[in-house]
């Protein structure tokens, strides 16, 4: 600019964009993502809030009903209560995938001929579609022909119809869900174990640490990032457990295996559904439940990053 | 004003044309049909139907899209609103309500009124909502008890006429180490069939319809009587064990294996039984026996064609509906080698098939009470889903009846 100062003719000033290029470009790069994220995620969230205050069949006019949907939902809707408790069962029992995955990872973390083959075999269930896993497990549980009952009978025990018994069905589905989820956690820990510092292990060994003490005080602290990710994916997986339920029991017997996401689907989008307002109200409740966890994860990630700096 | 004039002129044109020559040659443009007839035999029938109609009208191009039958139950909403086709499949009675209320189905009362649809008077009622007709039926089928004739002969049993005989038969069947009835309630609706029949036989067709319209409480003593009759079968071990884990198709195996002697189901089960290797000497059919002295009502679900209100070629669509319901086409598509069901046109002939003939006979002479569609089509959607879940629970835990009825009553008070 100063170069031009001594020329008599005033130069054409540089364009607005050129002058602000540095400040604007990052936003331009962000723009496509922001647009799509808002159109497909952010705006629908607020639409759900809005719909949840209405009664709407998805076709005609919406009728404003205020908080009536929430009053019905939280004021003793038995289906909601069943779904909510099932969600909690999922949350706690699904976390078993983490210790299970860790123990398999420790087992497989050795240099043996063909270990890659074993690893991929253990990882296999995670590659399968959840629908396929659900279907296979529902055959496994079949009351007469199922493999489970064949095994029980071989050991002289009575048969059991897990998916047909309202007090057992949810646990049966969670067990099916644990199979691929364990594989997922295993792979997370296997990569984590690669990053364990051999010098620290050596040092600990010289100090006489072995077995569980070694695991607890030396290995696990180094696996903290893997554990964190395993927690996140498992909890989110538990909250969106939908495919297994739809395939294995369709919410039955008599609605005993419903979870909130399935109940939401049933109310709003299934064959006998299209009560969009009520479905949206369930979605909002589920959203806040998830938000508790997500907020916690975001907060702890933020804290870690700040600590790292 | 102009649009009204145009619409009425178009309507006048089309009706006069249709009334004149049944299948006018001058239809043009494209006729888009979306059908849910996705099972193998219905699919072939539908494709044939579209091809024949196409051949009949040289200037008209028929585009057929076949959608999975279960998926269509939710897809229809999008199909009717955005870029609507000219003809769609759906179901009769209450299942039409959401689309009629939202103005998405075309009112075709004029076709019934001016004689474009001869022979459909008997089935008109199932297509009527708010005093208008919203589509045409193309097939229906009877429900009833399909049984293993060879097992009945072996045990020396007769087709029962009364509930006492039915229970006496059942006792003998159970004593022979079999279950009386196969049923798979995993997808709930099969339990609705049992309730329909027990309630129509215990309290009559009119009471059943009052219940469907929400005019009677679920805790009413008459409803309890129905459940008391049902419980007699449950308590004697009449049903196969673990039926809550099977679909209706999976439960068929119990009947083909001879572990269950009979099955209350629609006529659509017959091809499956034949495919499984049962000959016509081994299977037979009887009407659900009488319980109280009331005129017998029957379930006969009807499948339908409709014109979406947003269709673009309504003229051709109307001609298609007329074509599908004509006596000859009805006889043809409902034949044993095609749909294997009952024709809706009174002038059609029923295919020479043991079950179709018995079913037609039953529905035309022995259903004085009236013809119902089915639990999940007569009751409003939300009541049907709460109800069928309760019915399934009752079949597994009959002791929970009070709780179940209270739940259904709460739902009734909220829904209607």
């Amino acid at each position: 600019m100063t170069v031009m100062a001594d020329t008599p003719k005033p130069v054409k000033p540089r364009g607005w964009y050129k002058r602000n290029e540095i400040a604007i470009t990052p936003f331009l790069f962000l723009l496509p993502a922001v647009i799509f994220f808002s159109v497909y995620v952010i705006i629908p969230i607020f639409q759900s809030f809005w719909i949840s205050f209405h009664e709407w069949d998805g076709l005609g006019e919406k009728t404003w009903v205020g908080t009536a949907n929430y009053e019905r939902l939280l004021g003793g809707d038995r289906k909601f209560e069943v779904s909510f408790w099932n969600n909690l069962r999922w949350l706690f029992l699904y976390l078993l995938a983490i210790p299970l995955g860790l123990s398999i990872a420790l087992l497989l973390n050795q240099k043996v001929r063909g270990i890659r083959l074993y690893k991929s075999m253990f990882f296999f269930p995670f590659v399968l579609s959840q629908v396929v896993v659900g279907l296979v497990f529902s055959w496994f549980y079949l009351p007469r022909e199922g493999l489970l009952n064949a095994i029980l009978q071989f050991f002289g025990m009575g048969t059991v119809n897990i998916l047909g018994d309202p007090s057992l069905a949810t646990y049966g589905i969670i067990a099916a869900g644990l199979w691929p989820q364990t594989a997922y956690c295993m792979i997370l820990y296997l990569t984590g174990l690669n990053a364990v510092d051999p010098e620290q292990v050596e040092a600990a060994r010289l100090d006489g640490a072995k077995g569980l003490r070694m695991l607890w005080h030396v290995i696990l602290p180094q696996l903290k990032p893997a554990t964190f990710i395993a927690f996140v994916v498992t909890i989110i997986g538990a909250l969106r457990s939908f495919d297994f339920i739809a395939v294995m029991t369709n919410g039955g017997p008599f609605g005993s295996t419903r979870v909130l996401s399935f109940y939401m689907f049933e109310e709003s989008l299934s064959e006998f559904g299209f009560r969009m307002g009520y479905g949206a109200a369930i979605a909002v409740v589920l959203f806040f439940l998830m938000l508790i966890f997500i907020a916690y994860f975001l907060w702890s990630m933020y804290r870690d990053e700040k600590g790292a700096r | 004003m102009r649009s009204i004039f145009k619409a009425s002129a178009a309507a006048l044109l089309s009706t006069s044309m249709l009334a004149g020559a049944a299948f006018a040659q001058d239809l043009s443009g494209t006729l888009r049909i979306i059908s849910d007839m996705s099972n193998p035999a219905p699919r072939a029938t539908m494709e044939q139907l579209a091809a024949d109609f196409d051949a009949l009208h040289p200037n008209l191009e028929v585009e057929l899209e076949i959608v999975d039958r279960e998926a269509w139950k939710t897809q229809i909403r999008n199909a009717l609103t955005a870029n609507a086709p000219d003809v769609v499949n759906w179901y009769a009675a209450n299942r039409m309500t959401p689309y009629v209320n939202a103005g998405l189905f075309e009112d075709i009362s004029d076709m019934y009124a001016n004689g474009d649809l001869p022979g459909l008077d008997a089935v008109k009622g199932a297509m009527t909502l708010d005093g208008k007709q919203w589509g045409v039926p193309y097939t229906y089928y009877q429900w009833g008890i399909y049984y293993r004739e060879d097992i009945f002969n072996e045990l020396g049993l007769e087709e029962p006429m009364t509930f006492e005989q039915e229970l006496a038969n059942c006792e003998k069947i159970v004593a022979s180490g079999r279950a009386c009835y196969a049923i798979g309630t995993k997808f709930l609706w099969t339990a609705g069939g049992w309730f329909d029949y027990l309630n129509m036989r215990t309290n009559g067709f009119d009471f059943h319809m009052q219940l469907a319209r929400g005019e009677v409480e679920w805790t009413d003593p008459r409803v309890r009587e129905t459940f008391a009759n049902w419980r007699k079968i449950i308590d004697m071990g009449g049903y196969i064990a673990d039926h809550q884990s099977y679909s209706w198709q999976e439960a068929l195996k119990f009947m083909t294996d001879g572990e269950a002697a009979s099955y209350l189901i629609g006529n659509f089960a017959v091809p499956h039984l034949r495919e499984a290797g049962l000959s016509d000497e081994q299977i037979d059919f009887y009407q659900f026996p009488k319980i109280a002295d009331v005129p017998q009502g029957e379930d006969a679900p009807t499948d339908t064609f409709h014109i979406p209100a947003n269709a673009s070629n309504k003229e051709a669509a109307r001609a298609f509906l007329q074509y599908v319901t004509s006596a000859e086409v009805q006889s043809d598509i409902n034949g044993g080698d095609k749909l294997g069901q009952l024709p809706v046109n009174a002038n059609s002939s029923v295919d020479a098939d043991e079950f179709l003939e018995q079913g037609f006979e039953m529905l035309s002479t022995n259903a004085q009470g009236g013809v119902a569609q089915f639990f999940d089509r007569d009751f409003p959607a939300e009541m049907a889903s709460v109800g069928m879940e309760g019915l399934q629970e009752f079949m597994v835990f009959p002791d929970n009846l009070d709780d179940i009825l209270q739940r259904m009553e709460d739902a009734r008070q909220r829904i209607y």
Side-chain angles (χ1 to χ4, degrees), chain B residues 40-51:
Chain B
R43 185 185 186 108
T45 309
M46 186 65 224
E47 279 164 358
Q48 183 67 44
L49 203 56

Side-chain angles (χ1 to χ4, degrees), chain B residues 84-104:
Chain B
D86 301 307
V87 174
V88 294
N89 275 133
W90 194 236
Y91 307 100
N94 222 329
R95 289 295 281 276
M96 302 190 294
T97 313
Y99 311 107
V100 170
N101 288 347
L104 293 172

